[in-house]
Every structure is written in C-alpha cells, then in structure tokens.
Amino acid sequence: ANERTIDVTVATRRQFLLHNAVLEDVFDTDVAIQHPLLVKTLQANKNSQMSSITATIQQEQNIIIRDTQSTALLVNGIAGSGKTSVVLQRIAYLLYRYRDNLVSSDMLLLTPNTLFTNYINQVLPSLGEKSPLQMTFAQLLTTFINKSIPFESDTSHVQDLANKLDDWVLTAADFKNITLNDVTIFSQADIKQFFEQTSKAMSLTKRITALSSILTAEIESRIEQASKDGKVQAELSDLTDSQQEKIFGRLISPSSDLAVQKATKRMLLWRNRKLLKQIDQKAWLNISQIIKSVLNTHQINDLDYTFTRLKLLDLAQKNLRFVIIDEIQDYSLDQILFLLTAFPKAHWTLVGDQFQSILESSHPLTFNNLMGLFESHHIAVTQRNLYTSYRSSGAITKAFIKHGSPNLIDKVNTIQIGGKEPELIENQDFESLLINLKSEIKQLDNGELSAIITSDLHLAQAIHDQIKQTVLGTTAEKLPASGIIVLPLTLAKGLEFDNVIIADVNSKYYLDTAFSRASRTLII
C-alpha cells in the first residue's frame, strides 16, 4: 500500500454467498469454492471435517485444471467427483492462459452425446469464455468424409490398417478412372504407370502425394501445349461476354501473341478446373478397394474407411492444439488411434471412469492399454485420480461403487453421507411397469429434474407415448430445468438428475453408470 510492503497474517478465509445483491450465507473455507454443488453442500454441513474435505477436492481439481506441463493428462474419476466441472474450468483456464495466441477453434471437445454438448454450451459462457469446437466422435468422422457411403461392418481394424498401409503396394484396381465430361483422361492403368514413377522408398502416403503432383503436372503440361495451338487460340473469340467475365473477371482483347497464349491458357485452366480439383482431392484413389485388399474382406467399416482416407490423403489437422475427451472409457483403442493420427500436434485431456464403460465390446478399454497406446506414439501420460464423490447421496454412492468398482470402496470419500436407500420394485410386464412408473412420478417434486432411464431407445419411446408429462430425451435440444425426461442410458452419460428411475434393469445394464446419474433418489 502506498508503495510500501506490509507483512500480514491470514487467519481466516471467509466466503460470501451472494445472489441478486442479497447476502445469503457466509462460511469459512481454506480455498475459494467455485462449484455450486460444493457451495450448497458446505452450507448445509458447516463443520471442520467438511471444510477440509472440500479444500482437498478443490486442490485435486486445481492441479488438473492448471496443468500446462503434461502433453497428455488422464483424469480417472468416479461418478460425481467433479469431472465435468474440471473439464469446463480447464477449458476456460487454457483459453485464458493462452489468450494471446489461442482461440476457441484451436480446441476440440469430444462429448458423449448431443444433450451433453448443449449442456456445455449453456455453462461455458458463464465462465467468461467462448465454447471450443464441440461434437461427438460420430460427428467428427463425418468431417473427414466428403460423400455418403454405405458401410456394412460394425467391426473396425484401424490398428491392422495402421501397421500395413505404409508399405502396401497398390495395383491398378486401387485407382479410379479420371474423367471429364464423360471422357476418360487417365485410365486406371495410366495412373498405375504414373504411380510407378514415384520412389518405392517413400511411405504410401508420400507416394500418393507425389502421384497427385505428377498428374497435376501432366495436365498443366498438356494445357501449356494446347495454349500454343492456333485452333485452340481461335476459341477465345467465340467466348461470350458473360463467359469472359466468368473466366477473366472482365472483357479481354489481347493484342500480342504472348497475351493471346496467356489468355488461352487461362481459358483452358478454367475449362479443366473440375479435372484439376479431382486430382487435388485424390478422388481417383479407390479407398474402399484398398481397404478390402489390405484386410482381405468384402465389407467396409466407417472407422476403417475414415482412417484410411485420413492417412492416405494426409488430412491430419496439425494446427489443432488441444483435444479434450469426456467419457474416454467409452472409446475403443481403434478410435483413439484415429484421433492420434488426426491431431498429431495436440495436447490431450482425457477424462473418464475406467469402471463405467458402456462400450459393447469383448475387449473393453483399460486405462493401462490407453496409456500404452499414447506412449507408443512417444506421448507421456500423466494420470490424476478423483475419488471423492459429492454429487450423490451416501446410499447411492455406495450402490454404484458396489456394482462398478468394489475394489475402490476403501478409497472413495463421500461428502453427502446417508440419504434414502435405493428402492427396488418388481414388474411382471410392461403394463405393471407403467402403473408403477405413474405411481412413483406422482411422488416426485415437480420443481426438481428427474429422469426415467432405459436400456434402449425403443423402451424410452414406449414410456413417453404412455406417460405424456415426460420429455423424450432424443428430441430434446437441451435438458429442462425441471420435470421428467425419459432417455436411454447412452444419452444419460455425463448428465446428473435429482431423481432417477431405472425402468428395466437387466443383464445388459451397466448398473453403476445408471445408478450414478442420481443425486437424491434412486428407484430401480
């Protein structure tokens, strides 16, 4: 103060809770609490133990939020441990930290579903930052494919393709004829001959890039020769005024032989613009046939196709700086390998719960395998664990830990101890299910947000058709503030509700994932 240093001792940190200029509460805490649920919990439990636990949570999360040293950061957190909050605050922190040379489009957030994407879009502006690029993995794939293609196979083989493509030898069948106005300019055999001019010492991707340059140079050479032909030059005079405007941007009257030749060349380049675009976009490469040859199969998978196109056409986005993936446990190693190939210069934040995968696979992702894949690409992974649950009641937390990760039971801290035990209701058929659902719905608080979670979309639609006061999750653009939403488990990932009714527990259910969506009441 006044250019003097004054030594002080901080005896207490006191946080004031204000709403619309009204002081609602005051409590002491070791760190500034930013998460609204933590604030609410601390209000209701003002004791030294609660303060120390809250401080610990904040410190764990802040280490993750402010980590700028790790090229890949893996956050393994149980349900309700603040993973989503960490993701949002980390995005805001990175955009602020690198605000002089980072814009929101330099960052990609991959979300589990569109409902979650819309939820993020509502929250991020409140943190003072623009939203980064956001999409699901399926939506990301479509950005690498330039046309609609029917895919027959559900099984991907990206790791196999990655191992074989670089050294694969193309045949004439791996090319497509290059045509212009139904006239073949280069046949498959022609392209194969040009391909043989490229160095066999190069990877297949580099040979394809070199081949594209050879084909372009061949067309430009033909155009150069044709532009000197008097018969072709005479076609300039046949151009209408509108055609001249399209080609040259103005009307022309070349007065010398050189000017005529240059104008003729420009006219020919314009006429061949679609041909040159075909060559530049490598539309002459038969991606499907290459995959069939490499994998010795007759069926194509969408991920295999997109990866092969990404790799052979060199479509990697080297300017993307940060990739943040939520619910990483629901990805396959093939999907992650695709991402590593697509964004080779990115820094990674991978957030999930290794015990809550809903990926239908005989070989579900393990975090050890995930880390091994990154390290095989010379990317060191830093892992941080979040084992404190403060969203769900103690009874619900105990239930989802028991069904998902029982070996963590001694490591998990629960802030909201106690609570109502989950309720089990048996139904003989769909009619009795509807009767019980309607009975339970009557007891729910209309001011709270409740969810009826199903194992599939078909049942969610059937329940919505019979219980009209519900909102169908597949048609909702965003979560309502209150009321009852019906949605399949795949759409409920990453979301939280005051009350949850699991409509159809069965052998296909991922119980821990479904249970952990509830914070207060769980009915099964």
Side-chain angles (χ1 to χ4, degrees):
N2 297 327
E3 299 183 353
R4 292 181 300 147
T5 299
I6 302 174
D7 294 327
V8 299
T9 299
V10 178
T12 302
R13 286 175 179 261
R14 184 157 290 165
Q15 184 152 343
F16 299 87
L17 185 62
L18 297 160
H19 182 67
N20 292 334
V22 175
L23 179 63
E24 293 187 341
D25 209 340
V26 178
F27 51 84
D28 293 340
T29 175
D30 293 334
V31 292
I33 309 302
Q34 314 226 335
H35 194 284
L37 185 53
L38 274 178
V39 171
K40 195 172 182 180
T41 303
L42 198 57
Q43 279 182 278
N45 300 274
K46 296 177 183 177
N47 57 58
S48 59
Q49 181 185 12
M50 182 61 64
S51 296
S52 63
I53 291 174
T54 306
T56 300
I57 294 171
Q58 289 291 114
Q59 289 163 5
E60 289 173 344
Q61 293 182 352
N62 277 331
I63 290 171
I64 296 166
I65 292 165
R66 298 171 182 272
D67 185 338
T68 57
Q69 302 301 313
S70 302
T71 305
L73 180 61
L74 174 60
V75 181
N76 178 34
I78 64 167
S81 59
K83 296 189 296 295
T84 299
S85 175
V86 165
V87 166
L88 295 176
Q89 293 189 57
R90 179 162 172 77
I91 290 170
Y93 175 76
L94 291 172
L95 288 171
Y96 177 77
R97 174 74 169 75
Y98 300 107
R99 60 191 179 280
D100 293 336
N101 57 11
L102 179 71
V103 294
S104 56
S105 59
D106 293 332
M107 184 182 291
L108 170 65
L109 171 61
L110 290 175
T111 61
N113 52 60
T114 52
L115 267 179
F116 188 82
T117 301
N118 292 333
Y119 167 71
I120 298 294
N121 280 327
Q122 295 174 56
V123 176
L124 262 178
S126 69
L127 296 176
E129 299 295 342
K130 292 183 179 179
S131 296
L133 297 171
Q134 294 175 67
M135 60 190 77
T136 64
F137 184 81
Q139 290 169 333
L140 175 67
L141 287 189
T142 64
T143 67
F144 288 91
I145 302 177
N146 60 355
K147 59 182 179 179
S148 178
I149 300 171
F151 298 108
E152 307 93 358
S153 174
D154 294 327
T155 305
S156 63
H157 311 82
V158 171
Q159 295 175 80
D160 200 10
L161 287 165
N163 292 332
K164 294 178 178 178
L165 278 175
D166 278 343
D167 301 318
W168 194 255
V169 178
L170 299 182
T171 66
D174 296 323
F175 301 108
K176 298 177 183 177
N177 292 339
I178 298 176
T179 62
L180 181 65
N181 300 324
D182 297 325
V183 176
T184 298
I185 308 300
F186 297 121
S187 68
Q188 291 173 294
D190 294 333
I191 300 172
K192 178 66 166 66
Q193 285 185 341
F194 285 120
F195 180 69
E196 293 302 327
Q197 297 177 21
T198 63
S199 171
K200 293 180 174 61
M202 295 191 298
S203 68
L204 181 56
T205 300
K206 291 183 178 179
R207 292 187 73 183
I208 288 170
T209 300
L211 174 56
S212 183
S213 298
I214 291 172
L215 293 171
T216 300
E218 178 66 21
I219 294 298
E220 290 177 346
S221 175
R222 294 180 185 184
I223 288 173
E224 181 70 27
Q225 290 299 315
S227 69
K228 298 174 183 177
D229 188 315
K231 291 182 179 179
V232 180
Q233 291 177 350
E235 294 175 16
L236 278 176
S237 59
D238 296 332
L239 294 175
T240 64
D241 288 354
S242 63
Q243 287 174 328
Q244 289 187 47
E245 288 284 356
K246 281 183 180 179
I247 298 170
F248 306 103
R250 59 184 176 83
L251 300 181
I252 62 166
S253 54
S255 56
S256 67
D257 290 346
L258 180 60
V260 169
Q261 192 256 324
K262 284 184 175 180
T264 304
K265 182 178 179 180
R266 188 165 176 178
M267 176 186 69
L268 293 174
L269 285 169
W270 186 81
R271 287 179 178 175
N272 287 275
R273 67 193 185 281
K274 291 183 180 179
L275 175 62
L276 291 167
K277 185 178 180 180
Q278 277 186 69
I279 295 173
D280 180 61
Q281 293 183 343
K282 303 180 180 69
W284 39 268
L285 201 61
N286 193 335
I287 300 292
S288 294
Q289 180 56 44
I290 292 171
I291 295 170
K292 290 176 180 178
S293 298
V294 173
L295 299 178
N296 191 26
T297 184
H298 297 291
Q299 295 185 323
I300 302 296
N301 171 269
D302 59 342
L303 183 55
D304 289 345
Y305 182 90
T306 313
F307 175 78
T308 304
R309 193 169 188 275
L310 162 70
K311 189 167 178 62
L312 296 188
L313 275 58
D314 196 19
L315 300 177
Q317 298 180 16
K318 300 180 177 68
N319 294 327
L320 196 76
R321 294 177 59 185
F322 293 96
V323 177
I324 299 172
I325 306 175
D326 197 23
E327 306 292 350
I328 186 66
Q329 75 279 356
D330 291 328
Y331 284 69
S332 66
L333 284 176
D334 275 359
Q335 290 175 319
I336 295 165
L337 180 53
F338 172 85
L339 293 170
L340 285 168
T341 307
F343 310 115
K345 302 294 184 182
H347 283 67
W348 302 82
T349 303
L350 316 168
V351 182
D353 180 346
Q354 64 178 329
F355 298 109
Q356 284 213 3
S357 174
I358 60 170
L359 179 68
E360 293 186 5
S361 171
S362 56
H363 302 288
L365 179 73
T366 68
F367 280 11
N368 285 338
N369 289 340
L370 171 65
M371 295 171 74
L373 181 58
F374 270 83
E375 287 165 3
S376 70
H377 284 72
H378 310 291
I379 301 174
V381 180
T382 302
Q383 180 171 339
R384 302 286 184 188
N385 298 317
L386 296 174
Y387 288 153
T388 301
S389 172
Y390 60 89
R391 178 176 68 209
S392 300
S393 68
I396 293 174
T397 300
K398 184 178 178 181
F400 72 70
I401 292 296
K402 175 184 175 182
H403 286 282
S405 46
N407 58 323
L408 290 182
I409 197 71
D410 295 329
K411 296 181 180 179
V412 172
N413 297 314
T414 304
I415 284 190
Q416 303 196 57
I417 59 174
K420 184 181 177 182
E421 289 293 327
E423 182 182 356
L424 276 168
I425 301 174
E426 290 189 23
N427 302 285
Q428 302 304 317
D429 50 33
F430 183 65
E431 292 303 320
S432 61
L433 170 64
L434 287 176
I435 292 171
N436 283 321
L437 284 176
K438 290 175 182 178
S439 173
E440 294 299 331
I441 285 173
K442 288 180 182 178
Q443 301 176 49
L444 297 176
D445 185 339
N446 291 330
E448 297 178 339
L449 180 59
S450 303
I452 299 174
I453 297 178
T454 63
S455 59
D456 58 44
L457 176 58
H458 176 75
L459 181 59
Q461 180 70 60
I463 291 172
H464 172 67
D465 290 342
Q466 296 296 320
I467 305 178
K468 295 301 182 183
Q469 69 261 46
T470 60
V471 175
L472 187 62
T474 53
T475 59
E477 292 186 2
K478 61 181 182 179
L479 281 178
S482 60
I484 304 166
I485 187 168
V486 185
L487 71 174
L489 181 58
T490 51
L491 278 184
K493 286 303 296 275
L495 304 177
E496 57 187 69
F497 307 92
D498 296 308
N499 313 293
V500 167
I501 301 175
I502 312 295
D504 58 327
V505 167
N506 56 51
S507 59
K508 296 181 180 178
Y509 240 99
Y510 302 91
L511 294 180
D512 55 329
T513 305
F515 288 4
S516 62
R517 300 306 95 204
S519 60
R520 297 183 186 178
T521 305
L522 175 61
I523 302 167
I524 307 157

